[in-house]
Amino acid sequence: MGMFPRMLLGFLWAVSAVAAENGTAPHAPPLLLVSFDGFRADYLQRFPMPNLKLLYSQGVLVDQLTNVFITKTFPNHYSLVTGLYAESHGILASSMYDPVTQKHFSLQNDSDPMWWSAAQPLWLTALDSGYKTAAAMWPGSDVTNRTPTHFFPYNRSVTFGQRLGNVTQWLMGDGKEPGAMFAALYWEEPDQSGHTFGPENTTAMAKVLKEVDDNIGLLMRELNRTGLWGRINLIVTSDHGMAQCSADRLIRLDDCLHPDNYTLVDLTPVAALIPNDSETAFISLSKCHPHMTAYMKKSIPDRLHYRNNVRIQPIILVADEGWTIVKQGNKLPRLGDHGYDNSLPSMHPFLVAAGPSFRRGFRMKSLQSVDVYPLMCRLLSVPAQPNNGSLVRAQCLLAGETCWDVSMVVGLVVGVLLLLSAITVLFRFMRSPRSSGSRPFQRLDILYDDDEPLVP
């Protein structure tokens, strides 16, 4: 590649990188992040959601977020506020075993700071920037020495309205102390109902999604009542979707491997186990069931970003969509479940956002959930910690921002390079000595190019 094409290519990519990573928003408004657990992306098309639709008509809608594997609550909520894959932030599942400390993690035993300390959530980063922060029952926000300025210990009996009331007070401040610049609010539905009834139970899901939509209406009214509407940026999203399960789709683990031959760490739909003999166990498990894939830790696909952590067990088993791994028997534990491969649309949540920093009436087909963290750091004008996300696509949601379409940039660069190559060939052809019948034979001078060839 010649010097000029190389300079042009570098310039174009430099411009896109600067536009994506280095911009800051002066006088950043406060930011409120709200998660409705288990809100599958297509619920928005399948059920009436007038309040949610009113909200995104005044802002932006991302039809689907591609979330992180495994598609469960704790890993994905921590990815939203850190921008990291599960293998990087260490919250890998709902049940974990750490071979270094020999400690066990579960939803009932999750408060040890050791589990959460591999990453810094946004409420701590914003604190380091001098802001007050808040969280209402967001996973990981009540862990000792890792809390925001204001927080609730988890208590599912506290209503959405009560959580919201405290969050708005924290955002407003008390007149003596400034309000929180970042707040996160968590709500359990429609996840609980999705587990109980399954996402294909239209009657049950319509009822709970009406309640969710009513809560979104309450959220908008409360922001209006307090004068926060139009003065804060609001992001409403979720952690994962939900798949329909059936007693006809059970995979019995003990039919494949005798229970004396392994220790179970997590069960379904991604089972994690510690075998007594890895090679023997893997051979048995890989032939166990046509709707379950067995992976040795070293062979877990790169695209899952679920291999490089000591807490990932020697063998994991991944069920196909809608299939359930049980130890034995015929009992289906739940009619709806999540945790499956994060490439499945049924596992994807959505994202809606509105506020002074967002575009109005804008819709995007998809976004990576790890991109939400650098987006929020941009909104707050705080330095992002190292993360797996990018602003290249997420910044398209923001008003007044240059939105670079990566495919368009690549196409432009390739087109310019092809044009320059054609011009170079033509120029060399015009400079080449031409043959003539009246001229004697002479040695051909070869034009050497010391630059490297144009190869991938």
Side-chain angles (χ1 to χ4, degrees):
M1 187 187 301
M3 181 62 69
F4 181 72
R6 192 185 303 119
M7 290 175 62
L8 178 63
L9 180 62
F11 172 75
L12 287 171
W13 280 112
V15 169
S16 64
V18 168
E21 305 294 342
N22 292 341
T24 58
H27 311 297
L31 172 63
L32 172 58
L33 172 67
V34 181
S35 172
F36 290 93
D37 196 334
F39 195 121
R40 180 169 149 165
D42 67 357
Y43 287 163
L44 189 53
Q45 285 72 51
R46 291 171 50 198
F47 299 95
M49 305 289 292
N51 290 307
L52 186 53
K53 290 179 179 179
L54 175 62
L55 178 60
Y56 76 69
S57 72
Q58 302 177 54
V60 299
L61 167 66
V62 178
D63 290 328
Q64 293 193 23
L65 280 186
T66 300
N67 44 353
V68 305
F69 185 80
I70 62 175
T71 51
K72 291 206 170 185
T73 297
F74 274 31
N76 274 278
H77 275 95
Y78 215 45
S79 290
L80 283 169
V81 294
T82 63
L84 295 169
Y85 299 125
E87 68 175 3
S88 298
H89 63 55
I91 304 299
L92 299 164
S94 302
S95 298
M96 295 185 286
Y97 172 71
D98 188 293
V100 176
T101 61
Q102 299 184 343
K103 292 180 178 181
H104 292 268
F105 176 99
S106 70
L107 297 181
Q108 294 73 39
N109 181 30
D110 63 355
S111 59
D112 189 334
M114 179 272 296
W115 297 103
W116 304 88
S117 60
Q120 185 179 95
L122 183 54
W123 58 77
L124 294 183
T125 303
L127 275 175
D128 290 343
S129 294
Y131 293 145
K132 293 188 179 300
T133 59
M137 303 186 194
W138 194 277
S141 63
D142 59 352
V143 175
T144 304
N145 297 324
R146 300 187 63 78
T147 63
T149 312
H150 311 283
F151 69 98
F152 282 145
Y154 184 73
N155 182 351
R156 63 189 301 169
S157 67
V158 179
T159 68
F160 181 84
Q162 290 169 332
R163 300 181 198 189
L164 175 60
N166 280 273
V167 166
T168 53
Q169 287 182 8
W170 293 334
L171 286 165
M172 293 173 65
D174 60 6
K176 298 177 182 178
E177 293 289 332
M181 279 292 290
F182 172 71
L185 169 60
Y186 168 83
W187 184 240
E188 293 84 359
E189 289 284 20
D191 181 74
Q192 290 182 9
S193 296
H195 282 305
T196 303
F197 303 107
E200 303 306 323
N201 186 326
T202 302
T203 302
M205 294 311 297
K207 180 181 178 180
V208 70
L209 285 164
K210 182 184 183 306
E211 295 172 357
V212 168
D213 192 64
D214 288 345
N215 283 334
I216 292 172
L218 175 61
L219 167 64
M220 297 169 69
R221 291 193 301 275
E222 181 68 6
L223 293 178
N224 267 302
R225 185 190 68 80
T226 56
L228 291 170
W229 183 261
R231 296 198 298 111
I232 70 168
N233 289 312
L234 171 65
I235 296 176
V236 178
T237 187
S238 184
D239 50 351
H240 55 71
M242 190 71 65
Q244 185 73 35
C245 299
S246 169
D248 297 328
R249 296 193 293 269
L250 293 179
I251 302 167
R252 297 168 185 86
L253 191 56
D254 287 354
D255 289 351
C256 313
L257 192 64
H258 193 279
D260 291 345
N261 293 330
Y262 69 93
T263 300
L264 190 65
V265 175
D266 199 11
L267 188 54
T268 191
V270 178
L273 52 90
I274 306 171
N276 296 347
D277 183 325
S278 292
E279 296 297 331
T280 302
F282 178 74
I283 292 171
S284 298
L285 292 167
S286 62
K287 298 182 294 184
C288 172
H289 198 282
H291 291 285
M292 183 179 76
T293 304
Y295 294 107
M296 296 286 281
K297 179 177 179 176
K298 63 183 179 181
S299 300
I300 298 172
D302 290 342
R303 68 176 182 83
L304 296 178
H305 303 286
Y306 201 78
R307 189 170 60 219
N308 300 312
N309 194 291
V310 69
R311 297 171 189 167
I312 298 171
Q313 304 310 321
I315 296 178
I316 70 165
L317 310 171
V318 183
D320 287 351
E321 182 179 13
W323 286 80
T324 302
I325 303 171
V326 297
K327 279 186 61 63
Q328 58 188 359
N330 298 314
K331 183 179 180 181
L332 178 70
R334 54 187 71 91
L335 280 170
D337 210 354
H338 53 89
Y340 301 97
D341 193 314
N342 64 329
S343 67
L344 296 168
S346 64
M347 292 297 101
H348 293 169
F350 74 106
L351 182 143
V352 166
S357 300
F358 288 101
R359 299 171 70 175
R360 290 178 63 92
F362 181 74
R363 189 166 183 170
M364 180 183 288
K365 184 176 180 180
S366 65
L367 191 68
Q368 300 288 321
S369 67
V370 291
D371 295 342
V372 177
Y373 171 78
L375 173 67
M376 293 192 297
C377 290
R378 166 70 69 85
L379 289 168
L380 292 171
S381 294
V382 300
Q385 296 295 303
N387 64 86
N388 300 120
S390 170
L391 266 174
V392 169
R393 281 182 54 79
Q395 70 177 358
C396 294
L397 304 176
L398 300 178
E401 293 267 356
T402 301
C403 181
W404 286 85
D405 185 324
V406 175
S407 60
M408 181 186 71
V409 172
V410 171
L412 176 63
V413 170
V414 171
V416 170
L417 291 177
L418 289 174
L419 177 61
L420 289 172
S421 298
I423 293 173
T424 301
V425 170
L426 180 62
F427 181 70
R428 288 180 177 177
F429 174 77
M430 293 175 65
R431 291 183 57 192
S432 299
R434 301 186 179 184
S435 59
S436 171
S438 60
R439 296 178 62 188
F441 173 81
Q442 62 182 11
R443 181 174 60 86
L444 177 64
D445 292 329
I446 299 176
L447 299 176
Y448 288 97
D449 188 346
D450 292 331
D451 290 331
E452 69 274 12
L454 183 63
V455 295

